[in-house]
Amino acid sequence: MRALPVGADALLVEVSSGEEAQALHTELLRRRAEGSLSVREIVPAARTVLLDGLADPARLASELTSSAVPPAPPRAREVVELPVRYDGPDLADVAAHWGVSAQEVARIHADTEFSVAFCGFAPGFGYLTGLPARYDIPRRATPRTAVPAGAVALAGPYTGVYPRSSPGGWQLIGTTDTVLWDHTRVPAALLSPGTRVRFVPVGSS
């Protein structure tokens, strides 16, 4: 673990894996909830956690780098179910890369319980982990200039759902009508770090 100062009152903590980042994020949230850690923001990413609004970043950096992070406890949160039509334009390419049929891609994906490792890219976009490493898949060689809202996509070890139309290079395997980001909703984002997610097939696939 490495802790790097960011400005006067923030730390960027680097760890060696996504699992360690999730465990550290969970532990820091626990400490803040019990009152032993005073921090304004705790923001997880792929292999880092940013802490902003610290009174004594140097002291916390020394504490974190000299101790082990306990494993994250089992998540007890309810599962968010996202109805999905496995009708994406890259479904056949993903099937060829995996060496299975398009129907099998849909089955494997829908049989997996995902969790949101971190959020980013666009408001409401969660990076979901859960598929075994053998299903990692590269991004498209040429990104699309516009990916529609609700597109269910794969890239590397992650699944994601585009919350709004935007450029993107992920492999599109399906579509959901679920609204991922709604500024009139509290909270606005349907998915947040730690959320458990399942995709439920509907319609044709």
Side-chain angles (χ1 to χ4, degrees), residues 14 24 34 46 77 80 84-85 104 116 121 123 125 127 136 157 184 194 200:
E14 296 180 342
L24 177 60
E34 73 177 13
R77 302 173 67 168
V80 172
V84 58
R85 298 180 297 280
E104 185 68 0
V116 180
F121 170 64
F125 189 95
Y127 289 77
D136 286 9
T184 67
V200 180

Side-chain angles (χ1 to χ4, degrees), residues 8-31:
D9 59 359
L11 283 178
L12 184 67
V13 184
E14 296 180 342
V15 293
S16 60
S17 69
E19 291 76 13
E20 288 186 15
Q22 292 178 51
L24 177 60
H25 178 238
T26 300
E27 172 65 9
L28 293 171
L29 289 176
R30 184 193 66 78
R31 292 187 191 183

Side-chain angles (χ1 to χ4, degrees), residues 65-85:
T65 55
S66 62
S67 60
V69 178
R75 295 184 177 91
R77 302 173 67 168
E78 292 184 2
V79 177
V80 172
E81 293 188 344
L82 300 180
V84 58
R85 298 180 297 280

Side-chain angles (χ1 to χ4, degrees), residues 157-180:
Y158 302 113
T159 289
V161 181
Y162 285 77
R164 63 186 183 191
S165 178
S166 63
W170 289 34
Q171 308 281 355
L172 308 184
I173 64 168
T175 309
T176 181
D177 295 326
T178 302
V179 176
L180 276 293

Side-chain angles (χ1 to χ4, degrees), residues 21-191:
Q22 292 178 51
L24 177 60
H25 178 238
T26 300
E27 172 65 9
L28 293 171
L29 289 176
R30 184 193 66 78
R31 292 187 191 183
R32 182 170 67 177
E34 73 177 13
S36 62
L37 174 64
S38 177
V39 60
R40 184 169 59 248
E41 296 285 345
I42 305 174
V43 184
R47 291 181 176 83
T48 62
V49 179
L50 175 69
L51 296 98
D52 189 26
L54 295 167
D56 191 350
R59 183 191 62 77
L60 182 60
S62 177
E63 176 190 336
L64 290 176
T65 55
S66 62
S67 60
V69 178
R75 295 184 177 91
R77 302 173 67 168
E78 292 184 2
V79 177
V80 172
E81 293 188 344
L82 300 180
V84 58
R85 298 180 297 280
Y86 285 100
D87 57 2
D90 300 321
L91 185 61
D93 290 341
V94 172
H97 187 82
W98 285 6
V100 300
S101 67
Q103 291 76 15
E104 185 68 0
V105 170
R107 186 197 66 77
I108 292 168
H109 194 259
D111 283 352
T112 301
E113 182 177 294
F114 294 88
S115 64
V116 180
F118 57 97
C119 297
F121 170 64
F125 189 95
Y127 289 77
L128 280 61
T129 57
L131 285 171
R134 65 181 177 276
Y135 297 126
D136 286 9
I137 191 161
R139 289 170 169 79
R140 288 172 51 85
T142 303
R144 292 180 170 88
T145 57
V147 175
V152 178
L154 307 177
Y158 302 113
T159 289
V161 181
Y162 285 77
R164 63 186 183 191
S165 178
S166 63
W170 289 34
Q171 308 281 355
L172 308 184
I173 64 168
T175 309
T176 181
D177 295 326
T178 302
V179 176
L180 276 293
W181 176 267
D182 180 355
H183 71 276
T184 67
R185 183 172 59 198
V186 180
L190 179 64
L191 306 181

